[in-house]
Amino acid sequence: DTAVSQTPKYLVTQMGNDKSIKCEQNLGHDTMYWYKQDSKKFLKIMFSYNNKELIINETVPNRFSPKSPDKAHLNLHINSLELGDSAVYFCASSPFREGLETQYFGPGTRLLVL
Amino acid sequence: QQQVKQSPQSLIVQKGGISIINCAYENTAFDYFPWYQQFPGKGPALLIAIRPDVSEKKEGRFTISFNKSAKQFSLHIMDSQPGDSATYFCAAGPVYGNNRLAFGKGNQVVVIP
């Protein structure tokens, strides 16, 4: 069983388009995250939700908008895609017991903007 | 600002050798230090983690050494195997906060037979 799943796995699109990436976790975790990994493999936190409430909102362009319909899902919508958005986007989840816990990452969505 | 600095950037080790990756952090509020392992085409996965109440933690061939006064911690891979070839990320964060982890830039380890 896949713990954290993302769709699609690959996304190739033209500049200016709007696209969404979906994430689902079946671990019963309360907290979900979106990370961006650039071509140099640097992992940067973008957003974090705890029980559908936004708790981390890093300095990312407002073209990126996360949506959490329930605590098992966290989607990422990107408007007006730019070349610099090309990266691998990882969703992750963690329990929210007492303090920091292991984050479980999805397989990633490879976005290429042409 | 890079809160966690990782070195070296890449490492080539012979099979059976020891791989050592170092990390330095700046924020004294950090008290949770995990290492994540990422294989090509996959997401990162937790390998081992330490909290500063101990100076060393060992799990199989993987050991974290922690030096609180120097604000440094390192990952040692003993008896390195070709299957250990991956990118390794150190991370750090406060145990009690908003679950935010600061990741290092990653270190690519290649173990040659």
Side-chain angles (χ1 to χ4, degrees), chain A residues 18-30:
Chain A
D18 302 339
K19 290 293 178 186
S20 291
I21 308 171
K22 295 187 176 182
C23 178
E24 176 181 2
Q25 54 96 3
N26 62 6
L27 297 166
H29 290 165
D30 298 295

mmCIF file with all atom_site columns, all heavy atoms in Angstrom, chain A residues 18-30:
data_model
loop_
_atom_site.group_PDB
_atom_site.id
_atom_site.type_symbol
_atom_site.label_atom_id
_atom_site.label_alt_id
_atom_site.label_comp_id
_atom_site.label_asym_id
_atom_site.label_entity_id
_atom_site.label_seq_id
_atom_site.pdbx_PDB_ins_code
_atom_site.Cartn_x
_atom_site.Cartn_y
_atom_site.Cartn_z
_atom_site.occupancy
_atom_site.B_iso_or_equiv
_atom_site.pdbx_formal_charge
_atom_site.auth_seq_id
_atom_site.auth_comp_id
_atom_site.auth_asym_id
_atom_site.auth_atom_id
_atom_site.pdbx_PDB_model_num
ATOM 1   N N   . ASP A 1 18 ? -2.019 26.670 -16.412 1.00 0.00 ? 18 ASP A N   1
ATOM 2   C CA  . ASP A 1 18 ? -2.335 26.412 -15.000 1.00 0.00 ? 18 ASP A CA  1
ATOM 3   C C   . ASP A 1 18 ? -2.406 24.899 -14.808 1.00 0.00 ? 18 ASP A C   1
ATOM 4   O O   . ASP A 1 18 ? -3.025 24.194 -15.616 1.00 0.00 ? 18 ASP A O   1
ATOM 5   C CB  . ASP A 1 18 ? -3.702 27.001 -14.628 1.00 0.00 ? 18 ASP A CB  1
ATOM 6   C CG  . ASP A 1 18 ? -3.793 28.488 -14.882 1.00 0.00 ? 18 ASP A CG  1
ATOM 7   O OD1 . ASP A 1 18 ? -2.738 29.142 -14.951 1.00 0.00 ? 18 ASP A OD1 1
ATOM 8   O OD2 . ASP A 1 18 ? -4.922 28.991 -15.020 1.00 0.00 ? 18 ASP A OD2 1
ATOM 9   N N   . LYS A 1 19 ? -1.777 24.415 -13.737 1.00 0.00 ? 19 LYS A N   1
ATOM 10  C CA  . LYS A 1 19 ? -1.788 22.970 -13.489 1.00 0.00 ? 19 LYS A CA  1
ATOM 11  C C   . LYS A 1 19 ? -1.955 22.684 -12.006 1.00 0.00 ? 19 LYS A C   1
ATOM 12  O O   . LYS A 1 19 ? -1.654 23.540 -11.154 1.00 0.00 ? 19 LYS A O   1
ATOM 13  C CB  . LYS A 1 19 ? -0.474 22.325 -13.965 1.00 0.00 ? 19 LYS A CB  1
ATOM 14  C CG  . LYS A 1 19 ? -0.294 22.295 -15.472 1.00 0.00 ? 19 LYS A CG  1
ATOM 15  C CD  . LYS A 1 19 ? -1.305 21.363 -16.121 1.00 0.00 ? 19 LYS A CD  1
ATOM 16  C CE  . LYS A 1 19 ? -1.158 21.384 -17.637 1.00 0.00 ? 19 LYS A CE  1
ATOM 17  N NZ  . LYS A 1 19 ? -2.224 20.601 -18.304 1.00 0.00 ? 19 LYS A NZ  1
ATOM 18  N N   . SER A 1 20 ? -2.393 21.473 -11.714 1.00 0.00 ? 20 SER A N   1
ATOM 19  C CA  . SER A 1 20 ? -2.541 21.039 -10.318 1.00 0.00 ? 20 SER A CA  1
ATOM 20  C C   . SER A 1 20 ? -1.831 19.717 -10.095 1.00 0.00 ? 20 SER A C   1
ATOM 21  O O   . SER A 1 20 ? -1.765 18.861 -10.991 1.00 0.00 ? 20 SER A O   1
ATOM 22  C CB  . SER A 1 20 ? -4.020 20.857 -9.971  1.00 0.00 ? 20 SER A CB  1
ATOM 23  O OG  . SER A 1 20 ? -4.674 22.090 -9.937  1.00 0.00 ? 20 SER A OG  1
ATOM 24  N N   . ILE A 1 21 ? -1.315 19.572 -8.886  1.00 0.00 ? 21 ILE A N   1
ATOM 25  C CA  . ILE A 1 21 ? -0.718 18.314 -8.443  1.00 0.00 ? 21 ILE A CA  1
ATOM 26  C C   . ILE A 1 21 ? -1.500 17.864 -7.205  1.00 0.00 ? 21 ILE A C   1
ATOM 27  O O   . ILE A 1 21 ? -1.797 18.681 -6.329  1.00 0.00 ? 21 ILE A O   1
ATOM 28  C CB  . ILE A 1 21 ? 0.768  18.480 -8.060  1.00 0.00 ? 21 ILE A CB  1
ATOM 29  C CG1 . ILE A 1 21 ? 1.548  19.152 -9.184  1.00 0.00 ? 21 ILE A CG1 1
ATOM 30  C CG2 . ILE A 1 21 ? 1.376  17.136 -7.729  1.00 0.00 ? 21 ILE A CG2 1
ATOM 31  C CD1 . ILE A 1 21 ? 2.974  19.533 -8.787  1.00 0.00 ? 21 ILE A CD1 1
ATOM 32  N N   . LYS A 1 22 ? -1.814 16.564 -7.184  1.00 0.00 ? 22 LYS A N   1
ATOM 33  C CA  . LYS A 1 22 ? -2.620 16.065 -6.063  1.00 0.00 ? 22 LYS A CA  1
ATOM 34  C C   . LYS A 1 22 ? -1.768 15.173 -5.164  1.00 0.00 ? 22 LYS A C   1
ATOM 35  O O   . LYS A 1 22 ? -0.867 14.478 -5.622  1.00 0.00 ? 22 LYS A O   1
ATOM 36  C CB  . LYS A 1 22 ? -3.814 15.284 -6.582  1.00 0.00 ? 22 LYS A CB  1
ATOM 37  C CG  . LYS A 1 22 ? -4.786 16.145 -7.355  1.00 0.00 ? 22 LYS A CG  1
ATOM 38  C CD  . LYS A 1 22 ? -6.050 15.389 -7.718  1.00 0.00 ? 22 LYS A CD  1
ATOM 39  C CE  . LYS A 1 22 ? -7.030 16.332 -8.406  1.00 0.00 ? 22 LYS A CE  1
ATOM 40  N NZ  . LYS A 1 22 ? -8.293 15.672 -8.734  1.00 0.00 ? 22 LYS A NZ  1
ATOM 41  N N   . CYS A 1 23 ? -2.089 15.206 -3.871  1.00 0.00 ? 23 CYS A N   1
ATOM 42  C CA  . CYS A 1 23 ? -1.380 14.379 -2.896  1.00 0.00 ? 23 CYS A CA  1
ATOM 43  C C   . CYS A 1 23 ? -2.381 13.773 -1.926  1.00 0.00 ? 23 CYS A C   1
ATOM 44  O O   . CYS A 1 23 ? -3.313 14.465 -1.456  1.00 0.00 ? 23 CYS A O   1
ATOM 45  C CB  . CYS A 1 23 ? -0.351 15.201 -2.136  1.00 0.00 ? 23 CYS A CB  1
ATOM 46  S SG  . CYS A 1 23 ? 0.532  14.257 -0.872  1.00 0.00 ? 23 CYS A SG  1
ATOM 47  N N   . GLU A 1 24 ? -2.173 12.499 -1.631  1.00 0.00 ? 24 GLU A N   1
ATOM 48  C CA  . GLU A 1 24 ? -3.031 11.808 -0.673  1.00 0.00 ? 24 GLU A CA  1
ATOM 49  C C   . GLU A 1 24 ? -2.164 10.961 0.241   1.00 0.00 ? 24 GLU A C   1
ATOM 50  O O   . GLU A 1 24 ? -1.205 10.334 -0.214  1.00 0.00 ? 24 GLU A O   1
ATOM 51  C CB  . GLU A 1 24 ? -4.032 10.913 -1.405  1.00 0.00 ? 24 GLU A CB  1
ATOM 52  C CG  . GLU A 1 24 ? -4.907 10.092 -0.474  1.00 0.00 ? 24 GLU A CG  1
ATOM 53  C CD  . GLU A 1 24 ? -5.882 9.180  -1.224  1.00 0.00 ? 24 GLU A CD  1
ATOM 54  O OE1 . GLU A 1 24 ? -5.851 9.163  -2.466  1.00 0.00 ? 24 GLU A OE1 1
ATOM 55  O OE2 . GLU A 1 24 ? -6.667 8.496  -0.549  1.00 0.00 ? 24 GLU A OE2 1
ATOM 56  N N   . GLN A 1 25 ? -2.478 10.941 1.531   1.00 0.00 ? 25 GLN A N   1
ATOM 57  C CA  . GLN A 1 25 ? -1.770 10.050 2.451   1.00 0.00 ? 25 GLN A CA  1
ATOM 58  C C   . GLN A 1 25 ? -2.779 9.197  3.201   1.00 0.00 ? 25 GLN A C   1
ATOM 59  O O   . GLN A 1 25 ? -3.848 9.677  3.594   1.00 0.00 ? 25 GLN A O   1
ATOM 60  C CB  . GLN A 1 25 ? -0.869 10.850 3.407   1.00 0.00 ? 25 GLN A CB  1
ATOM 61  C CG  . GLN A 1 25 ? -1.527 11.954 4.183   1.00 0.00 ? 25 GLN A CG  1
ATOM 62  C CD  . GLN A 1 25 ? -1.982 11.569 5.587   1.00 0.00 ? 25 GLN A CD  1
ATOM 63  O OE1 . GLN A 1 25 ? -1.763 10.450 6.047   1.00 0.00 ? 25 GLN A OE1 1
ATOM 64  N NE2 . GLN A 1 25 ? -2.610 12.521 6.278   1.00 0.00 ? 25 GLN A NE2 1
ATOM 65  N N   . ASN A 1 26 ? -2.411 7.921  3.377   1.00 0.00 ? 26 ASN A N   1
ATOM 66  C CA  . ASN A 1 26 ? -3.296 6.985  4.084   1.00 0.00 ? 26 ASN A CA  1
ATOM 67  C C   . ASN A 1 26 ? -2.706 6.550  5.413   1.00 0.00 ? 26 ASN A C   1
ATOM 68  O O   . ASN A 1 26 ? -2.973 5.451  5.901   1.00 0.00 ? 26 ASN A O   1
ATOM 69  C CB  . ASN A 1 26 ? -3.623 5.785  3.190   1.00 0.00 ? 26 ASN A CB  1
ATOM 70  C CG  . ASN A 1 26 ? -2.391 4.976  2.821   1.00 0.00 ? 26 ASN A CG  1
ATOM 71  O OD1 . ASN A 1 26 ? -1.292 5.232  3.312   1.00 0.00 ? 26 ASN A OD1 1
ATOM 72  N ND2 . ASN A 1 26 ? -2.549 3.995  1.959   1.00 0.00 ? 26 ASN A ND2 1
ATOM 73  N N   . LEU A 1 27 ? -1.868 7.431  5.987   1.00 0.00 ? 27 LEU A N   1
ATOM 74  C CA  . LEU A 1 27 ? -1.196 7.107  7.241   1.00 0.00 ? 27 LEU A CA  1
ATOM 75  C C   . LEU A 1 27 ? -1.922 7.652  8.462   1.00 0.00 ? 27 LEU A C   1
ATOM 76  O O   . LEU A 1 27 ? -1.489 7.436  9.582   1.00 0.00 ? 27 LEU A O   1
ATOM 77  C CB  . LEU A 1 27 ? 0.232  7.687  7.206   1.00 0.00 ? 27 LEU A CB  1
ATOM 78  C CG  . LEU A 1 27 ? 1.124  7.100  6.113   1.00 0.00 ? 27 LEU A CG  1
ATOM 79  C CD1 . LEU A 1 27 ? 2.374  7.946  5.915   1.00 0.00 ? 27 LEU A CD1 1
ATOM 80  C CD2 . LEU A 1 27 ? 1.509  5.673  6.461   1.00 0.00 ? 27 LEU A CD2 1
ATOM 81  N N   . GLY A 1 28 ? -2.987 8.395  8.222   1.00 0.00 ? 28 GLY A N   1
ATOM 82  C CA  . GLY A 1 28 ? -3.712 8.988  9.346   1.00 0.00 ? 28 GLY A CA  1
ATOM 83  C C   . GLY A 1 28 ? -2.994 10.168 9.965   1.00 0.00 ? 28 GLY A C   1
ATOM 84  O O   . GLY A 1 28 ? -3.297 10.574 11.094  1.00 0.00 ? 28 GLY A O   1
ATOM 85  N N   . HIS A 1 29 ? -2.040 10.756 9.234   1.00 0.00 ? 29 HIS A N   1
ATOM 86  C CA  . HIS A 1 29 ? -1.268 11.884 9.754   1.00 0.00 ? 29 HIS A CA  1
ATOM 87  C C   . HIS A 1 29 ? -2.086 13.174 9.729   1.00 0.00 ? 29 HIS A C   1
ATOM 88  O O   . HIS A 1 29 ? -3.011 13.344 8.928   1.00 0.00 ? 29 HIS A O   1
ATOM 89  C CB  . HIS A 1 29 ? 0.009  12.077 8.928   1.00 0.00 ? 29 HIS A CB  1
ATOM 90  C CG  . HIS A 1 29 ? 1.011  10.999 9.138   1.00 0.00 ? 29 HIS A CG  1
ATOM 91  N ND1 . HIS A 1 29 ? 2.087  10.807 8.292   1.00 0.00 ? 29 HIS A ND1 1
ATOM 92  C CD2 . HIS A 1 29 ? 1.124  10.045 10.096  1.00 0.00 ? 29 HIS A CD2 1
ATOM 93  C CE1 . HIS A 1 29 ? 2.809  9.794  8.737   1.00 0.00 ? 29 HIS A CE1 1
ATOM 94  N NE2 . HIS A 1 29 ? 2.237  9.308  9.819   1.00 0.00 ? 29 HIS A NE2 1
ATOM 95  N N   . ASP A 1 30 ? -1.688 14.077 10.640  1.00 0.00 ? 30 ASP A N   1
ATOM 96  C CA  . ASP A 1 30 ? -2.388 15.353 10.732  1.00 0.00 ? 30 ASP A CA  1
ATOM 97  C C   . ASP A 1 30 ? -1.733 16.446 9.896   1.00 0.00 ? 30 ASP A C   1
ATOM 98  O O   . ASP A 1 30 ? -2.376 17.438 9.566   1.00 0.00 ? 30 ASP A O   1
ATOM 99  C CB  . ASP A 1 30 ? -2.408 15.836 12.189  1.00 0.00 ? 30 ASP A CB  1
ATOM 100 C CG  . ASP A 1 30 ? -3.149 14.871 13.095  1.00 0.00 ? 30 ASP A CG  1
ATOM 101 O OD1 . ASP A 1 30 ? -4.366 14.723 12.902  1.00 0.00 ? 30 ASP A OD1 1
ATOM 102 O OD2 . ASP A 1 30 ? -2.506 14.263 13.963  1.00 0.00 ? 30 ASP A OD2 1
#
